[in-house]
Amino acid sequence: MVATGSLSSKNPACISELLDHGFHPGSLLNDFDYWDYVVPEPNLNEVMFEETTCQSLAKMLENCLSKSKQTKLGCSKVLVPENLTQRIAQDVLRLSSTEPCGLRGCVMHVNLEIENVCKKLDRIVCDSSVVPTFELTLVFKQENCSWTSFKDFFFSRGRFSSGLRRTLILSSGFRLVKRKLYSLIGTTVIEEC
C-alpha cells in the first residue's frame, strides 16, 4: 500500500482492511500527513557549496594540465574532452565524501598514461593544514588517434620540427585509484571511467 496525504484516493478495500485492524481514519490521516513533512528538503547551501567545490577542483585540474603541457608533456596544446574535468571533480568529491576529513584530507597525484607508460604531472594537496587521510591517483589517458601521429610525422620532417608544435588529445576515459592512509588493512579502490 502506498501512503498518500488523502484517504479519498485510497482503495476502499485497503481502507476497510485498516479499519478492521483497529486503525482510525483520523489517526491514519495524521500519520500520512506527518511523513509528507518528514522528508528533508535539499539544503541549498550544501548544493551551492558542492557545486562551487566541484568547479574549483575542475579548475585546479585544468591548471595542472596547463602547467604541464610545456614542462612535462612537451606540447603546445592539450585538448580536453568537454566536461571531463567536471566529471573527474564529481567523482573525487564522491570518493572523499566517506572520508573523515572529506576533500580536505585528500592528496591527489595526477598522471598521464601514454602508450601504457604513466608520466607524473603534478601532486595536488587539497588543504595543507590537514594531515592527509587518503590519496587519489588520477590517470588521464591519451586518445588513440592515428591522424595526430600522422600529422606529427609531417611536421617533424619540415621546418616545424619543434617538439612544442605537438597537440596532445586526452581521452574521455580516466582512472581513479583511492588509497586510505589511516586504515590498517590498506583499502584500495580502483575506478575505471
Side-chain angles (χ1 to χ4, degrees), residues 152-161:
D152 287 341
F153 173 76
F154 279 115
F155 279 123
S156 67
R157 300 227 180 245
R159 60 185 161 153
F160 300 110
S161 62

Side-chain angles (χ1 to χ4, degrees), residues 30-146:
N30 290 338
D31 288 344
F32 289 148
D33 287 342
Y34 170 76
W35 288 109
D36 288 340
Y37 297 106
V38 169
V39 177
E41 291 293 322
N43 186 344
L44 293 179
N45 289 335
E46 284 181 21
V47 171
M48 291 296 290
F49 176 74
E50 186 172 319
E51 182 62 30
T52 304
T53 305
C54 189
Q55 288 174 358
S56 124
L57 189 55
K59 191 67 173 166
M60 287 185 348
L61 293 171
E62 291 166 8
N63 288 339
C64 169
L65 289 170
S66 179
K67 285 187 323 189
S68 298
K69 71 181 176 185
Q70 291 182 352
T71 58
K72 297 182 181 176
L73 298 175
C75 61
S76 59
K77 293 180 185 175
V78 176
L79 299 180
V80 181
E82 187 176 6
N83 297 326
L84 176 64
T85 55
Q86 286 283 28
R87 284 187 12 235
I88 293 170
Q90 289 170 349
D91 281 350
V92 167
L93 287 175
R94 181 179 51 79
L95 288 172
S96 65
S97 66
T98 59
E99 293 301 316
C101 298
L103 185 62
R104 295 176 57 221
C106 178
V107 173
M108 189 180 334
H109 302 279
V110 183
N111 300 316
L112 173 66
E113 185 178 292
I114 300 175
E115 298 172 4
N116 296 326
V117 176
C118 271
K119 189 171 202 164
K120 293 180 182 181
L121 300 182
D122 204 356
R123 180 176 180 260
I124 299 173
V125 178
C126 294
D127 188 346
S128 59
S129 68
V130 175
V131 175
T133 58
F134 71 105
E135 287 180 340
L136 286 176
T137 302
L138 167 64
V139 181
F140 286 107
K141 296 181 180 184
Q142 181 182 16
E143 183 67 36
N144 294 329
C145 291
S146 59

